Amino acid sequence: MANDLVFLREHASGDVLYLKEIIVMYLRTMPEYFRELKENFNSKNWIEVSNQAHKMKSPAKLFGDLKLESLLNEIEFEGKEIHVKEELIVNKINEISQSLSISFEELNAILIDA
């Protein structure tokens, strides 16, 4: 399971509608954030790659996706290096794509069941 919603459920205090709204917001924003990350990578705009990875970490953390948070953290710091290792970042981006796919499946199932 990619998501550990313990923190999010505690934050929602049993408000299922609020929980659904937060999940829907995540499902709408993260694909756009990820698209921007890839766009910046393709443009070799390393500062923006780093900034975009940083921007994506908070939602990943909120949804308890520790693997995704860790991958984004690695990209954030790699993007700040003087000699960026493009191969390392592209591998992380591929892992992020897989992680997001799993996460989206899980969250869509929660929306259907809720």
Side-chain angles (χ1 to χ4, degrees):
M1 179 172 208
N3 301 294
D4 178 0
L5 301 181
V6 171
F7 176 76
L8 189 58
R9 288 182 197 278
E10 288 174 2
H11 186 69
S13 301
D15 186 341
V16 176
L17 183 58
Y18 175 74
L19 182 63
K20 283 182 174 182
E21 288 174 4
I22 297 296
I23 290 172
V24 167
M25 187 183 331
Y26 181 86
L27 292 171
R28 287 184 182 156
T29 58
M30 286 302 270
E32 179 64 21
Y33 290 170
F34 184 57
R35 185 192 61 74
E36 291 171 7
L37 177 71
K38 292 188 302 184
E39 218 172 71
N40 288 314
F41 173 79
N42 290 333
S43 299
K44 298 184 185 326
N45 187 341
W46 306 124
I47 297 297
E48 286 306 312
V49 166
S50 179
N51 290 340
Q52 194 64 28
H54 178 79
K55 181 178 179 180
M56 293 175 71
K57 281 193 320 186
S58 292
K61 186 173 186 166
L62 177 65
F63 279 78
D65 193 335
L66 301 178
K67 178 181 178 184
L68 180 58
E69 182 185 4
S70 176
L71 290 167
L72 291 164
N73 195 51
E74 291 175 36
I75 289 175
E76 178 184 4
F77 287 105
E78 183 59 34
K80 293 177 181 178
E81 293 295 321
I82 294 172
H83 300 289
V84 174
K85 297 176 186 145
E86 290 181 49
E87 186 175 307
L88 183 136
I89 293 177
V90 77
N91 290 337
K92 300 296 179 199
I93 287 174
N94 290 333
E95 288 183 62
I96 288 170
S97 179
Q98 293 169 358
S99 184
L100 285 174
S101 292
I102 293 167
S103 177
F104 294 164
E105 285 179 32
E106 291 175 1
L107 293 172
N108 278 308
I110 289 170
L111 286 177
I112 292 169
D113 293 341

